Amino acid sequence: MSRQQREHLNAAYRSRPRPVTPPTAEEQRAGFAAALTRPALEDVAVRRTALGGRPALELAPAGTAGPGRLLYLHGGGYLVGSPDTHAGLAGELARRAGLHAVSLDYRLAPEHVFPAAVDDGLAAYRELLATGTDPRTLVLAGDSAGGALALATLLAARAAGLPQPAAVVLFSPWVDLALRGGSLRTKADADRIFTEADLRAYAAHYLGAADPENPLASPLYADLTGLPPLLIQVGANELVLDDAVRLAARAGAADVDVTLEIGGNLPHVFQHHYGRLEEADAALDRAAAFLTAHLGAAVTAVTAVTA
């Protein structure tokens, strides 16, 4: 990232005022949507649908064919965000990987506390399998809280006896709602997006009375044995940097194939700035290559069987 690009991002983040009176959930959602929505590119067809009893967006990049499928779970601290706000990011990953994608509109807190989001993720995953998606041709991705939800969905699927997908990509996953990572302090001045108080407020809204160390709320504390290959990408300027680092260590200890990438001097979910930051485009290219590499042999095998 060039100095000019870095200064532009920092100025944009600093310019967002913090109100004296905390905004309502609806006000936060409207503000988030107004500030951060990026629509899908013109060559990605978007269609509203439903999955697992919840609304969803189908994202179909032009020229995409074959059985490969991506389930995307958006970020937003379980409080804000939607498939619409993340259509650009999910669509861009799908476009680069050559996959059809579906982005789930899971229920948000505080109206729907934990485990509502996990229940929705599992219902969506279960329906994909039940309607003919071979798990060997299915991949998951998510950012921030959506990254944690992708893991929680697979942990719930494992508990339900369902097969795992081919691979998972996580952008800046927020996997420790107990907030014990050292980067909450060491990156406090570097993170221009969040404060520790922000994260504590998001966690409180989502958890309700639940234990923050519940593995489905905080996958960092889960037994990760048997999960598919993981790619974790995180920026060095993040309060949740240590979430990604500790998650990679625990995954490796559980004999999970895991790749951790830390982007120097980059913010939370920097991939959202594709087309503006070279590092974002490069990271999305690597994420797409990771998914297609793990899908390749499986898609070939499934296609051969069904031909």
Side-chain angles (χ1 to χ4, degrees):
M1 178 166 55
S2 69
R3 180 179 178 182
Q4 183 178 9
Q5 289 173 320
R6 182 170 63 251
E7 290 177 349
H8 173 75
L9 277 181
N10 286 341
Y13 291 138
R14 288 192 190 103
S15 67
R16 294 187 297 179
R18 293 185 178 273
V20 175
T21 302
T24 65
E26 286 302 325
E27 289 171 339
Q28 291 185 67
R29 289 166 191 157
F32 183 91
L36 293 175
T37 295
R38 295 195 72 181
L41 296 178
E42 291 184 1
D43 62 349
V44 178
V46 178
R47 185 176 75 88
R48 298 196 182 278
T49 185
L51 185 66
R54 291 296 303 164
L57 281 186
E58 280 190 359
L59 302 158
T64 301
R69 194 80 177 270
L70 166 66
L71 173 60
Y72 194 89
L73 297 165
H74 69 82
Y78 300 105
L79 180 76
V80 302
S82 70
D84 288 294
T85 62
H86 285 66
L89 179 55
E92 192 64 10
L93 178 59
R95 187 178 71 82
R96 295 177 190 229
L99 298 171
H100 278 79
V102 59
S103 182
L104 183 68
D105 192 6
Y106 57 88
R107 288 172 291 173
L108 298 176
E111 296 91 339
H112 305 283
V113 298
F114 172 81
V118 182
D119 291 342
D120 292 345
L122 177 60
Y125 187 77
R126 190 187 295 274
E127 182 172 326
L128 285 171
L129 299 182
T131 54
T133 300
D134 190 304
R136 295 173 296 173
T137 68
L138 178 61
V139 293
L140 270 67
D143 64 281
S144 194
L149 182 56
L151 289 179
T153 295
L154 296 186
L155 292 169
R158 185 185 66 186
L162 298 175
Q164 294 291 297
V168 185
V169 165
L170 308 175
F171 301 140
S172 302
W174 183 36
V175 292
D176 180 13
L177 273 62
L179 301 171
R180 295 201 177 98
S183 54
L184 287 171
R185 296 176 297 279
T186 61
K187 297 297 180 178
D189 292 334
D191 194 320
R192 303 296 181 182
I193 303 176
F194 297 115
T195 66
E196 183 177 341
D198 293 331
L199 297 182
R200 292 195 180 279
Y202 282 133
H205 281 307
Y206 178 56
L207 288 170
D211 181 355
E213 292 188 26
N214 184 308
L216 294 182
S218 297
L220 179 66
Y221 300 104
D223 174 6
L224 302 176
T225 303
L227 291 192
L230 306 179
L231 171 64
I232 306 168
Q233 295 179 340
V234 65
N237 290 0
E238 298 201 42
L239 292 184
V240 297
L241 170 62
D242 279 353
D243 285 40
V245 173
R246 291 178 294 155
L247 176 65
R250 284 186 58 83
D255 203 26
V256 174
D257 183 342
V258 58
T259 302
L260 172 66
E261 298 179 358
I262 302 175
N265 205 31
L266 290 171
H268 188 64
V269 193
F270 63 89
Q271 299 83 354
H272 185 75
H273 299 286
Y274 63 88
R276 302 166 183 164
L277 292 179
E278 292 180 2
E279 292 90 339
D281 289 298
L284 283 172
D285 284 342
R286 292 193 302 274
F290 176 85
L291 293 177
T292 54
H294 287 285
L295 280 170
V299 168
T300 300
V302 171
T303 302
V305 170
T306 57

